[in-house]
Structure formats: structure tokens, C-alpha cells
Amino acid sequence: MAHVWRMIAQRLALGLLTLFVVSIIIFGATELLPGDFAQAVLGQAATPEAVANIRRELGLDQPVYMRYFDWLFGVLQGDFGTSLAQRGRPVTDMILSRLGNTFFLAIYAAAMAVPLALTLGVLVALWRNSLFDRIANSTALSAISFPEFFVAYILIFVLAQSGYFPSMARMPAGADLGEKLYRAFLPALTLTLVVTAHMMRMTRAAIINLLASPYIEMARLKGMRQSRVIVHHALPNAIAPIANVVAINLAYLITGVVVVEVVFVYPGLGQLMVDSVSRRDIPVVQAIALIFAAAYVLLNLTADVISTLSNPRLLYRK
Amino acid sequence: MTLLMFFVWLAVVIAVSIALAWGFRAVATAVTQGEMQRALRNAPLTAAFGMLVIFVYLVVAILAPMIAPFPEREVVGSQFMPWSAEHWLGTDALGRDMFSRMIYGTRNTVGIAFATTALAFLIGSVFGLLAATVGGWLDQGLSRLVDVMMAIPSLIFALLLLTIFGTSVITLIMVIAVIDSTRVFRLSRAVAEGVVVMDYIEAARLRGEGLVYLITREILPNVTAPLVAEFGLRFCFVFLSISALSFLGLGIQPPTADWGSMVRENATLITFGDITPLLPAGAIALLTVAVNFVVDWQLYRASGLKE
Amino acid sequence: MSNLPRTPGITRRGLMKSAGAIGAAGLILPASYRKAMAEPKRGGTFRIGFGHGNTTDSLNPALWDQAFVQVLGNTMHNYLTVIGPDGQLEPELAESWEASADAATWTFKLREGVTFHDGKDVVADDVIASLNHHRGEDSASAAAPIVEAITDIRADGDHVVVITLEAGDADFPFILSDYHLPILPAEDGRIDFNRGIGCGGYILESFEPGVDAHFTRNPDYWKSDRAWFDRVELYAILDSAARQNALITGEVDVIDRPDLNTIHMLERAGVNIISVSGTQHYTFAMDSRADPFSNNHVRLALKYGVNRQQMVDTILSGFGVVGNDHPIGRSNRFHADDLEEREFDPDRARHHLREAGLDSLTVDLSAADAAFAGAVDAAVLFSESAAQAGITINPVREPSDGYWSNVWMVKPFSAVYWGGRPTEDWMFSTAFAAGAPWNDGFWEHERFEELLRAARSELDEDLRAEMYFEMQQIVRDEGAIVIPMFSDYVMATADNVMTPDQIGANTTLDGVRATERWWFA
């Protein structure tokens, strides 16, 4: 077990380094984008004088590295700065409610998608090459080859226009959990359809991959039932790849859902990020990028810990 | 009632697909010989169906100007004309022939998706295998770099890069390929790590074989299967990336026809029950299913499972 | 609305469109319709879905740009003047005004007894602080250029404001109706917009940028026949399909910018389409300093190479009228009705190309949907029609992100959106005057400048009309802007939303005053 703790500590340290580099890349990339906040916010109405004045007011006329270090020192002291657009409003305050929404939707979708994908994955591995396998596979593949917004539109047409679910997933203040679940059902379902196929196929592949191993042959030769072989012998050894693909998809549910947010008018972090990028509101972009990167790092770490714990050989490695 | 009709149609479609696949396999077995013929004869019908679809797409892509009744970009009618004898699938929002654009779309979309995926695999697997084989600082450096890149959401990363570098087809291919290659890198490195500790690699090292030999002759053949499986899915994710980018206002330059953008352009129609956008979306889905059927078959052959 | 008799063959949309097209400043509804909804009444929660709204929106009027914040401003604030539904200027916080003989000094008398939401009286100091917010050397306001001509503002007692201009401007009171210039309470000579206090018909309750804004009715509002709703909610719904579905499924009562491509289907889904023809126009700006656009024959060749009717039919789905290469709309006071309409004519385009000494012409046309909805498609259509005249136009899709700072007025040939201006002078000075910051053709014309200055301070309407006619002709024949279409303001409403007889044509949503002027059946 000490090995696992050491790994976690080491990975967390590396994770911090990753966050640092991500912040430099995002800052640099936003800096390289043509135009800055002053031009973006004035848009078509920009005049050189107004642009210069806004830059001066916000300190955008400082050299790049100065602004980055200012930001970095702030972050090290726990201060993520204030948004350029909502002057005086701390970034953390802007992000907090949206962060909650993003996690809510991700957890909601994951709660539907992960059990569904794993169950289907085991079933299609069990009945591989049967008609069920083919149909489940084709359906899943068709589902992921439809763009998210398109899946969303189809669901709106079928489930929202008939009045079963609302087409807008806006979250009124003070809504209780039941209402939240009801209002966010369509976006969660869309995401479920989008991520299930990937996880299901990987589960199937991971299990089938093991079926040719000698110890499985052995179990079968002993006359063990197919379903028992898969659930008791193949599945435990397939946990590592499955945990990995689940982690990737969970990270996607947190960081990659801007399109679904736009279609369902769901106030999550993705849209805030894209908006802030397009307006060059760097403190907000940076903060969200750090959240996304941290989510990715932590989920990956969790997947690796689970893989290690699931494999005694890794666990007791010297 | 409608549900019943749906299942009847589904059954008809499946039956026709099976018949077509069977026919295709028969023809393919007849015109090939040797090892290939043997493989084809044992191919499941799904794989035959996949190959048939890919074959048809290739033919359409290559012969697009000869098949399409109208030019790709010319306005030939008024806006949103219904399906008719002249315009088989009607016209689009600008009055261009939908059927012709679907056909030209095959060429552009499949071309771009293939180029992107191939490039992503080239970059990703070369570096992934190198990292696993050489190890040490190279491995650490590359892995950390990839970690950083993967920690940035790919859509937003693509958005940033495309805004900085412009949106020509070449940049589009490069940007999506580089971002996608990080996934390929991780996979190939992970799989190769399992292989490099094998005794035969150790033996080859002791024989004094060079790095290139090790990678191409000893490691690559043993890591192809999972890479191929990944290829099938990555291929389809390229369409999705293009489509999502065009949702956010980037994507392929007009008036080039590509399915991802065509879905986007017509998507609103679906919320009124008009099935037009299902055509390009269906074309993508069919190709994805077909590619993955073939991939599944190859995987199955590679896995050594006999049953 | 439900008791409105449906005349066979004429839909409401048909009526409204023709009303706009014949050149009325606003929109005149048929008599029967007018009677059916003559009695506005109070109550209800009015919800609007916008095709705009950004997480970087703010309460700072100096940075307002699109319809969401414009409506937000007009819902919670009042202005000195307001453009009425008929296009005429109406008094709001300014009860009356008068100009000096040279139209360079203006005296505004403020309405007495108007209070802000916090109970404070609206006085001259508030007006001065609110206007000064946009003025001066260190102004960071998008409205800086339009208040640039003001040299001095001073109070004369609590309820009189005297404004001095650097030169005469007969249309100056129109400027004060601009959506950037609401009146906010002053504290020590400055305004604090973040407090969210105004003197308009509704009190701001909450504002989440890029998401929504909520208001309740102002019980002390000085207008008794306006602001009928109990509550107002504004929602940003950027995706057009989502917006239309929000209306169909009853999540909102009104949407702006419905997707014109599918509007016939939306109509079938049982909602009302309101379409008003105004000053909004879509253009292709050529940099007249750069070759080949420096040659007027090349510019004319391109102007003859665009199929205007086809653009109106496809890009606007018929919700608009063809443009005549000048920016004055049919609803403007001094629109030159007699000026010949320019038609698509490949032969004349070729002729002008030859005159320019060219056999063929190849140019890149930059566009993005940020320029206007369908701009990329419009560029494709332009390239198709110009091809018939031997002109090769390569449509270039630019990123929407940063379009206005990186493409517009940077690339030599680009698609542009213009909301238009209520007065000829305002429009011409903004986009055609030599050296004006938004002169996107980088165009200069001696005679035009002369006329512009003369017309501005001219108080004789007939003389002014003559001058503006000549300017329209000059811009049409020598200007650097292709103006193929004027786009209607299109909105879709639920059945129970009632509108007055006449709807403002100066901008979308009844001159962005829908929350104040509309009511529920």
C-alpha cells in the first residue's frame, strides 16, 4: 500500500506542475489570439482611443510577462483576480455557481451512462458476434457518429415538443433536486448517448482481449459457465483499461460539453470558457482552464489508483 | 402503428444489407486469390457489409464529378426545393443541389477525415513507441507534454489554435491531428510498454539490433491490434470535431461541401421533423459503422480467439 | 390575437411585410386588428429569448452592443429622448428642447417629479454625469464618437441642461436617444452603473451575464400607460434551434432573430411572425485605398455583379428589401425614392471591368457569421453571381471570434453588419465621412463632405432633402460599399402577446422597447 501512497503523492506533485504549464500555455495562446479584451468587448464600435483607454484602465498595456506573474502571484495567494468584463467581481464568484452546474450535469450523465455502458459491454462480450452484439454495436456507433447538437435536436423534437421535458435546462434559483433532475434530463440524456458507446466498446474489447489468455481457457476447460468466466475471471483483470476509459469520459463530461450547454441553455463552465476566450477575459479563462486541467489530472490519477489496486502484481511491486 | 412500421422497415433494411453483404463477399472471393481469398471467405457478413460500404464510398469519392448531376457550388434552384426527379434530394438553403453536395461531400469529408486520422496515428504512434522503447528522459518528457496537452479540453484547444493559425483545410487537418495524436500516443505507449519487457525484445536488444529495427520489426507487429481498434473510433471523432467546430463558427471553408458542416447547416430542420439533416449525419454514421465492422473483424482475427 | 379574423390568402406576416415595404416608418396594422387589441392591460411575466448575450456583458452602458443589453437598458432606464414607433423623436426625460439659431446650442427642459428606483429625484446633475461617462480624453465608451461633438454641458437649475456643440447639428436630439446614453443617478459627478439603479419602467432584480436578467415592475413609474407586465425576464438563448424550441414549448413568449431558413416551419408551429422593415442593412465593404478597389470601375463592376433579389430571397428568406448601394433605408425621412434601383447586370459589370483595363478580376471576400447571420452564405452567393461576369470572388470564412478587430477594416473586402441610424446625418457621418472611425470603405469625396457639413446645420427641410438625395446618389455611384440588402427586423411571438398598432422600425423588438410597450391579451 505504501507504494500506492507514494504514487499518489508523486502524481499530485506532477499534477501541480501540469497545472502550471497549462496556465502558461493558455495564457500564451490567449495572448497570441488576434485582438485583446479591449477590442473584443468594444467589437464593431471600437475606436483606437477607447481601446487605448480600456487597456490603460485594466493594465493591459503592461508587458505580457508582467501580467502573467501578477496573475501567478495572486493565484499562489489564493486570489484568482477579478474578471475584466465584470470589473470588481471576483473570478471565483463568477465561476462557483457554474462549477456546481457543470458537476451536477456531469454526475447526472455519468450516473446513467457508466452502469449502462458497463452492463452492455459485458453483455455484448458474453454474446459476442450474436445479433444482439451487432445491433448494440451498430446503434452505439451510430449514436456516437451523430454530432452532439444533432442528438440534442432529435431529443428536443421527440421529448420536448411533446411536452414531456423542458427544452431549456435553465436552473431557477432555489429549485429542489427533483426539479433540477427533471429540467436537466435532456442534456444528461444527450451526454449519456454520446459517451456510452465509447465506454461500451472498450469494455467489450478489454474483455474479449482476455478471453484468449491461458487462464481463461483453463477455466473454460473446467466446464465453467460462460457468464461466470466473464464476470469472475475476465472482468477483474479488465478493470484497468475500463477504469481508464471511464476516467477519460468523465473528464469529457466535465470539460467538453460546451455544445450541449449552448443547445440546452445550461449555464455551465464550458460556455463561460468559450465566451471568455472570445472576449479575451484572461483571468476567467485561466481559472476555468485550471479547473478543467485539475479535473483531468485527478480523474486520471483515480483511474490509475484503481488499476493498481485491482492488480496485485502492481500493488506489491517492489 | 408507426412503431410497427419502423420495425418493419428496420427488418427490410437489415435483410437488404445482409443480402448485399453476402453478394459482395461472393464477388470479392471470386476476384481474389490466395491468402486474401481465404481471409475473405471466412469474413463474417458484417465485415463484408463494412467493406462493401467502404468500397462504395471510395468509388463515389473518386468518381464524384462524374456521378453528381450538378456542380458542387453552383446555385441551381431556389431555396429548399422538395425532393423531385430533377433534384433527387431537393436543394439546400442556398438552392444548391443536395444530392450533388452529398456526393462531393464524400470526397471532401472522407479525404479530410482519413488524412487527419492517418497523420494523428503517424505522429502519435511514432512518439508513443519511441517513448516506450527508449524510456528515460525522452519518455518522461513526452509523457508530461502529452499530459499537459490532454489536460486542456480538446475542443477549446482546437478553437484557440484555429483562431491563431487560421482555418484553411491544411491547418484544420494539422490541428485536429496534433490534438488527436495525444490520445494515440498514450495508447501506443501503454501497449508498447507491455511489449518491451517481453523476453524476445530483451533478446533482440542483446543481439545489438538498432532502434528502428526494434520498433518496426519486433514491437509494431505486436501492438497493431489495439491501434487498429482505436483507428476506427478516432476516424469518426474527426467528423465530430469538424461538426462541433462548425457549430462554434469555425470549420471547413465554404463553399466546399462536407458532411459535418452540412449537418450543422441543416440541423435546425430536424426540430421541425424534417429529415434532411439525417442524410449527411446518416452518411457519417454508416461509414463509422462500416469501418468499425471491418476493424472488429481484424481485431477478432488478431486476438487468436477460435470459436 | 385569437379573435383576429384570418383573411384567406393573406397571412398576418404578409400584411406586415407589405406594410413595411411600402415605406411606412413603422408598421401599420389593419383596422380590424387594431380594434381587437385596443385595450392594453396589466399583468403577467414577459419572457424574451435573445439570439445574443455574452458572459462578458455588463451593466456599463458604455459597453453595450447587442440586443440583450439594449433591451436590458431600455427596460430599467429612461433616456432624454426616445424614437417613437412612427420614427419621430419623442420626449422622455427631456420634456422639451430648443436650439439656438445655428443649431449649435441646445437647451433641454427636464421632466419634474421623476424618481430613480431608490427614490432619488432625476435632476440635471444626473444627466450631466450620465453623458460625461462617455466623454473626455480617457473615455472608454463605445459611444465616444457620437458625443464627441459636445464641447460643454452645464446645468441651469435642477431641471434645465444646456449642451453646446462644436458645430451646428439640426438632428442632435436624436443622438440622445442612442441606447448607450441612459440617465443614471449621479454621485459626486459620476455614475455607478453596478448598483443597477435606473428610472425606467422595471426594477432590476438579478442579472447573470450571458444567462438571464429579471425585473419587477416599477410601482412609481411616471408613465401610466406603459410597462404593463408585472415581471420581465430576459434570456440569452444563442442557438437558433434552441431559441425557436423555447418559444414553441412555451418557455419564452417572444424571441428575436428566428432562423430565417426555417421560418416557414416555425409559422406552421403556431407562432406569430412580426417583421418590420427598417434601417438595418448588410454590406460588403471595399478598402478604397487598396488596389484594385481604388478604381471606381472595379467597385462598380462588383456592384453590378451581385444578384440582390436572389440574396434577399435566400439569405433573408424574403424578409427584407434590395439595397441600392447607399445606407439610407426606405423608412428614413430623406430616402431618395426616385433613385434608380441597381440591378444584377453581368454585362455592365464586364463593361466596367474593361473600363478599368482588366480582363478578369480575382478578389478574396472575408466573411463570418459574426458579421451577420448568413454572411458566409451571402459571400458564396456573391461569388456565384459575380462568376457570370468573369469576376472570381473567393469567399473566405474568417473566425467569428474577433471578427470586428481582425477582419473588418483590416481585410480589404469584408462582410459587414449595420444597424443603421435614425437620421441621414448620423448614418453618413458614422460610416462615410472622411476620417470617421467607422468609415469602413476608407472613402473620401470632396463634394460629399461639402454636402454633409451643409446639410447638418441646415434647418430648411426641403433644402436638406435635396442635399441628402444628392449624397445618396454619390454614395451609390462612387462609394466603396456594396449594399445588396436591407434586412427586416424579424421576431416571433406567442399567441397571447399583444403589440400596439405601430411597431418601431428603428431597431429590433419595437425599438428595443417591447417590455415597455407590449402587453398580454
Side-chain angles (χ1 to χ4, degrees):
Chain A
M1 272 315 273
H3 167 69
V4 176
W5 289 115
R6 203 165 52 239
M7 179 182 98
I8 291 178
Q10 199 180 12
R11 289 284 296 273
L12 282 178
L14 272 178
L16 280 180
L17 186 67
T18 307
L19 292 192
F20 172 67
V21 180
V22 164
S23 80
I24 294 180
I25 292 184
I26 295 286
F27 194 92
T30 329
E31 215 36 64
L32 279 179
L33 287 177
D36 66 356
F37 173 77
Q39 287 173 326
V41 81
L42 287 167
Q44 194 176 4
T47 57
E49 297 80 33
V51 167
N53 286 331
I54 292 188
R55 278 186 190 149
R56 199 167 47 242
E57 244 173 69
L58 295 173
L60 293 175
D61 48 355
Q62 303 279 321
V64 183
Y65 62 91
M66 287 279 286
R67 278 182 287 136
Y68 179 75
F69 284 120
D70 272 356
W71 175 83
L72 189 65
F73 287 130
V75 169
L76 291 178
Q77 292 158 15
D79 172 17
F80 283 84
T82 54
S83 153
L84 298 182
Q86 321 294 336
R87 265 164 258 180
R89 194 171 170 199
V91 171
T92 32
D93 175 51
M94 274 179 84
I95 285 178
L96 224 50
S97 68
R98 283 173 180 262
L99 183 67
N101 286 340
T102 291
F103 278 126
F104 177 74
L105 184 60
I107 292 170
Y108 193 178
M112 294 201 277
V114 175
L116 180 71
L118 296 192
T119 316
L120 280 177
V122 171
L123 286 182
V124 292
L126 183 59
W127 297 320
R128 60 194 168 278
N129 303 338
S130 68
L131 188 64
F132 173 74
D133 179 18
R134 301 293 184 216
I135 290 182
N137 237 316
S138 317
T139 317
L141 286 170
S142 309
I144 41 170
S145 37
F146 280 9
E148 283 163 11
F149 60 84
F150 193 59
V151 175
Y153 288 167
I154 294 177
L155 291 180
I156 288 181
F157 175 60
V158 179
L159 292 176
Q161 289 191 1
S162 48
Y164 294 121
F165 292 96
S167 67
M168 265 169 81
R170 60 192 158 85
M171 292 282 149
D176 60 9
L177 184 65
E179 190 185 349
K180 276 186 168 179
L181 288 175
Y182 171 69
R183 297 207 73 99
F185 179 72
L186 287 185
L189 184 61
T190 308
L191 291 173
T192 304
L193 290 176
V194 170
V195 296
T196 300
H198 191 206
M199 292 190 283
M200 178 194 106
R201 281 183 61 82
M202 281 302 175
T203 309
R204 177 185 185 274
I207 292 177
I208 289 184
N209 208 18
L210 288 167
L211 291 184
S213 2
Y215 79 99
I216 298 277
E217 292 277 322
M218 189 63 205
R220 271 199 238 165
L221 288 176
K222 286 196 300 194
M224 202 179 267
R225 272 211 329 274
Q226 176 81 313
S227 56
R228 205 180 145 72
V229 172
I230 286 190
V231 175
H232 287 270
H233 292 270
L235 197 54
N237 282 304
I239 281 181
I242 293 176
N244 256 308
V245 72
V246 169
I248 287 180
N249 279 289
L250 288 183
Y252 176 80
L253 286 179
I254 293 173
T255 63
V257 300
V258 53
V259 172
V260 170
E261 285 175 10
V262 171
V263 172
F264 289 105
V265 204
Y266 187 82
L269 282 180
Q271 195 177 355
L272 183 60
M273 173 97 171
V274 170
D275 266 8
S276 306
V277 167
S278 75
R279 291 295 173 100
R280 320 281 187 262
D281 194 344
I282 295 183
V284 182
V285 174
Q286 289 282 67
I288 302 178
L290 287 188
I291 292 176
F292 284 173
Y296 173 82
V297 167
L298 289 178
L299 281 167
N300 255 325
L301 176 58
T302 315
D304 286 351
V305 170
I306 291 176
S307 309
T308 313
L309 293 178
S310 76
N311 188 339
R313 254 178 304 179
L314 289 176
L315 192 54
Y316 298 112
R317 190 167 57 183
K318 278 172 264 336
Chain B
M1 194 60 208
T2 40
L3 201 66
L4 188 72
M5 281 308 290
F6 173 76
F7 280 112
V8 169
W9 276 110
L10 192 67
V12 170
V13 169
I14 291 177
V16 170
S17 313
I18 291 175
L20 281 173
W22 188 84
F24 179 76
R25 188 172 62 183
V27 173
T29 340
V31 298
T32 51
Q33 47 188 332
E35 175 68 27
M36 200 163 167
Q37 189 185 30
R38 211 168 316 128
L40 280 173
R41 196 183 304 134
N42 293 327
L45 278 177
T46 46
F49 177 71
M51 285 186 282
L52 170 67
V53 170
I54 294 170
F55 178 73
V56 170
Y57 275 47
L58 282 180
V59 170
V60 169
I62 292 165
L63 301 180
M66 293 156 87
I67 303 174
F70 296 96
E72 177 180 3
R73 47 183 293 181
E74 197 177 313
V75 176
V76 292
S78 62
Q79 195 182 20
F80 290 130
M81 284 162 67
W83 296 14
S84 66
E86 194 189 355
H87 300 287
W88 290 2
L89 301 178
T91 56
D92 70 1
L94 291 187
R96 296 172 297 196
D97 185 60
M98 194 76 183
F99 179 65
S100 307
R101 284 184 69 77
M102 285 289 295
I103 290 183
Y104 278 101
T106 317
R107 169 183 274 198
N108 304 327
T109 318
V110 176
I112 290 171
F114 185 78
T116 311
T117 325
L119 188 60
F121 270 75
L122 187 70
I123 303 174
S125 55
V126 164
F127 283 109
L129 296 180
L130 262 180
T133 318
V134 178
W137 280 108
L138 183 72
D139 184 21
Q140 276 297 325
L142 284 174
S143 298
R144 294 292 80 77
L145 179 70
V146 164
D147 267 356
V148 168
M149 283 175 69
M150 287 184 78
I152 304 171
S154 55
L155 190 60
I156 286 162
F157 205 12
L159 203 72
L160 279 172
L161 293 179
L162 286 173
T163 314
I164 294 173
F165 296 116
T167 54
S168 70
V169 172
I170 303 292
T171 7
L172 191 75
I173 290 178
M174 302 266 276
V175 165
I176 301 182
V178 167
I179 292 174
D180 255 15
S181 68
T182 55
R183 276 78 181 161
V184 182
F185 171 89
R186 264 178 72 107
L187 181 76
S188 51
R189 178 180 166 279
V191 182
E193 269 202 319
V195 175
V196 288
V197 296
M198 295 287 178
D199 296 340
Y200 59 86
I201 302 289
E202 201 57 34
R205 277 191 210 271
L206 290 175
R207 277 208 309 274
E209 301 288 3
L211 187 64
V212 177
Y213 177 91
L214 269 180
I215 290 180
T216 54
R217 308 303 283 277
E218 301 283 353
I219 300 175
L220 194 57
N222 290 299
V223 299
T224 344
L227 283 182
V228 168
E230 185 72 7
F231 191 93
L233 279 182
R234 284 284 145 220
F235 191 67
C236 126
F237 286 163
V238 174
F239 300 107
L240 297 184
S241 304
I242 292 176
S243 202
L245 284 171
S246 73
F247 185 89
L248 297 175
L250 294 162
I252 296 205
Q253 290 287 349
T256 310
D258 91 291
W259 295 335
S261 314
M262 284 169 77
V263 177
R264 172 61 197 145
E265 281 162 19
N266 297 298
T268 325
L269 293 174
I270 196 77
T271 62
F272 294 104
D274 183 318
I275 60 161
T276 311
L278 277 179
L279 296 169
I284 297 175
L286 187 61
L287 183 60
T288 311
V289 172
V291 168
N292 281 285
F293 274 166
V294 177
V295 163
D296 281 351
W297 170 50
Q298 290 299 330
L299 267 187
Y300 184 72
R301 283 185 356 128
S303 76
L305 259 185
K306 308 268 183 298
E307 53 186 86
Chain C
M1 187 99 23
S2 49
N3 51 9
L4 167 68
R6 281 240 168 195
T7 326
I10 307 176
T11 63
R12 183 172 167 216
R13 168 177 145 200
L15 281 169
M16 293 199 157
K17 280 177 67 179
S18 52
I22 54 171
L27 173 70
I28 312 217
L29 298 181
S32 61
Y33 188 74
R34 218 175 297 170
K35 221 168 103 198
M37 36 187 256
E39 287 298 313
K41 63 185 219 289
R42 296 207 179 282
T45 299
F46 187 55
R47 300 157 303 170
I48 312 181
F50 289 90
H52 293 285
N54 196 296
T55 47
T56 55
D57 291 342
S58 75
L59 291 173
N60 182 359
L63 297 180
W64 286 345
D65 44 6
Q66 27 70 12
F68 186 98
V69 273
Q70 289 178 25
V71 171
L72 174 113
N74 277 275
T75 300
M76 60 187 284
H77 294 299
N78 270 182
Y79 293 70
L80 283 183
T81 59
V82 58
I83 292 172
D86 55 0
Q88 300 295 321
L89 197 66
E90 291 177 359
E92 193 162 51
L93 291 178
E95 209 169 40
S96 63
W97 52 84
E98 58 191 38
S100 61
D102 62 351
T105 305
W106 288 81
T107 307
F108 292 85
K109 165 118 187 45
L110 299 186
R111 197 174 298 278
E112 289 184 41
V114 182
T115 55
F116 286 108
H117 298 153
D118 60 357
K120 188 177 126 18
D121 277 325
V122 178
V123 292
D125 285 344
D126 301 315
V127 173
I128 294 171
S130 299
L131 292 179
N132 280 343
H133 181 56
H134 307 273
R135 292 179 60 220
E137 279 294 298
D138 55 351
S139 162
S141 170
I146 65 172
V147 291
E148 210 177 15
I150 300 178
T151 51
D152 180 53
I153 310 181
R154 61 186 171 79
D156 183 1
D158 262 359
H159 291 98
V160 174
V161 176
V162 181
I163 298 179
T164 316
L165 308 177
E166 62 187 11
D169 182 354
D171 287 337
F172 178 71
F174 273 93
I175 301 270
L176 297 173
S177 71
D178 185 89
Y179 61 81
H180 292 105
L181 310 176
I183 305 305
L184 280 73
E187 278 165 72
D188 308 327
R190 299 182 68 85
I191 55 168
D192 181 6
F193 46 81
N194 277 330
R195 287 176 61 210
I197 301 280
C199 60
Y202 297 90
I203 301 169
L204 183 69
E205 221 178 45
S206 67
F207 172 45
E208 184 60 41
V211 183
D212 55 17
H214 295 239
F215 306 85
T216 51
R217 187 171 193 281
N218 175 5
D220 303 324
Y221 196 36
W222 63 273
K223 296 183 196 176
S224 59
D225 58 343
R226 289 283 192 276
W228 302 102
F229 304 107
D230 291 337
R231 293 180 54 80
V232 169
E233 298 176 3
L234 313 179
Y235 291 100
I237 311 177
L238 300 192
D239 183 52
S240 66
R243 201 156 61 246
Q244 298 186 355
N245 275 292
L247 180 64
I248 295 173
T249 58
E251 297 272 331
V252 295
D253 306 303
V254 177
I255 58 169
D256 77 339
R257 306 190 1 140
D259 181 9
L260 296 180
N261 281 337
T262 54
I263 200 154
H264 52 291
M265 300 183 178
L266 186 64
E267 224 175 352
R268 251 180 271 148
V271 307
N272 298 306
I273 308 294
I274 298 180
S275 155
V276 193
S277 167
T279 51
Q280 172 175 250
H281 54 282
Y282 299 160
T283 73
F284 298 106
M286 303 174 272
D287 183 346
S288 62
R289 299 167 307 179
D291 283 336
F293 304 115
S294 51
N295 187 325
N296 192 39
H297 282 295
V298 169
R299 305 204 290 260
L300 278 171
L302 286 163
K303 287 175 179 175
Y304 279 109
V306 58
N307 189 338
R308 293 152 203 265
Q309 194 56 49
Q310 183 190 40
M311 261 193 208
V312 170
D313 289 344
T314 49
I315 303 298
L316 304 178
S317 297
F319 287 92
V321 288
V322 294
N324 200 15
D325 296 329
H326 66 72
I328 305 305
R330 284 164 173 71
S331 61
N332 275 88
R333 264 183 305 172
F334 302 118
H335 175 258
D337 295 327
D338 304 334
L339 206 54
E340 192 200 344
E341 295 274 348
R342 183 166 281 140
E343 307 263 344
F344 173 50
D345 191 339
D347 292 332
R348 293 195 64 167
R350 269 179 211 282
H351 164 77
H352 283 290
L353 218 50
R354 268 196 308 275
E355 289 286 309
L358 297 169
D359 297 327
S360 66
L361 176 65
T362 303
V363 288
D364 287 350
L365 172 53
S366 300
D369 281 343
F372 55 86
V376 178
D377 285 342
V380 170
L381 278 186
F382 194 176
S383 109
E384 284 303 306
S385 63
Q388 295 176 40
I391 301 171
T392 310
I393 296 179
N394 299 318
V396 180
R397 183 211 292 257
E398 304 281 356
S400 282
D401 179 6
Y403 185 82
W404 298 116
S405 47
N406 311 319
V407 179
W408 183 56
M409 297 186 71
V410 175
K411 297 282 162 73
F413 194 20
S414 61
V416 187
Y417 163 87
W418 279 101
R421 299 291 183 267
T423 66
E424 290 71 13
D425 177 65
W426 194 347
M427 186 66 230
F428 280 135
S429 330
T430 308
F432 291 85
W438 299 316
N439 177 344
D440 52 6
F442 300 96
W443 182 72
E444 283 179 32
H445 194 285
E446 211 177 311
R447 172 73 184 148
F448 179 86
E449 293 299 319
E450 221 171 83
L451 287 166
L452 184 65
R453 268 193 303 276
R456 187 178 295 153
S457 50
E458 180 59 64
L459 292 170
D460 180 336
E461 296 275 300
D462 289 337
L463 275 175
R464 282 185 93 192
E466 220 169 88
M467 291 189 245
Y468 284 127
F469 288 172
E470 189 182 342
M471 287 159 78
Q472 286 169 54
Q473 177 145 23
I474 294 174
V475 169
R476 170 185 182 272
D477 294 333
E478 296 174 56
I481 316 291
V482 184
I483 305 182
M485 52 187 156
F486 274 68
S487 158
D488 290 357
Y489 292 108
V490 186
M491 297 142 264
T493 65
D495 254 353
N496 59 342
V497 175
M498 296 288 135
T499 65
D501 309 348
Q502 212 173 15
I503 290 179
N506 52 320
T507 168
T508 189
L509 288 164
D510 203 351
V512 294
R513 288 283 177 140
T515 53
E516 175 158 312
R517 294 176 183 161
W518 296 7
W519 67 94
F520 280 129

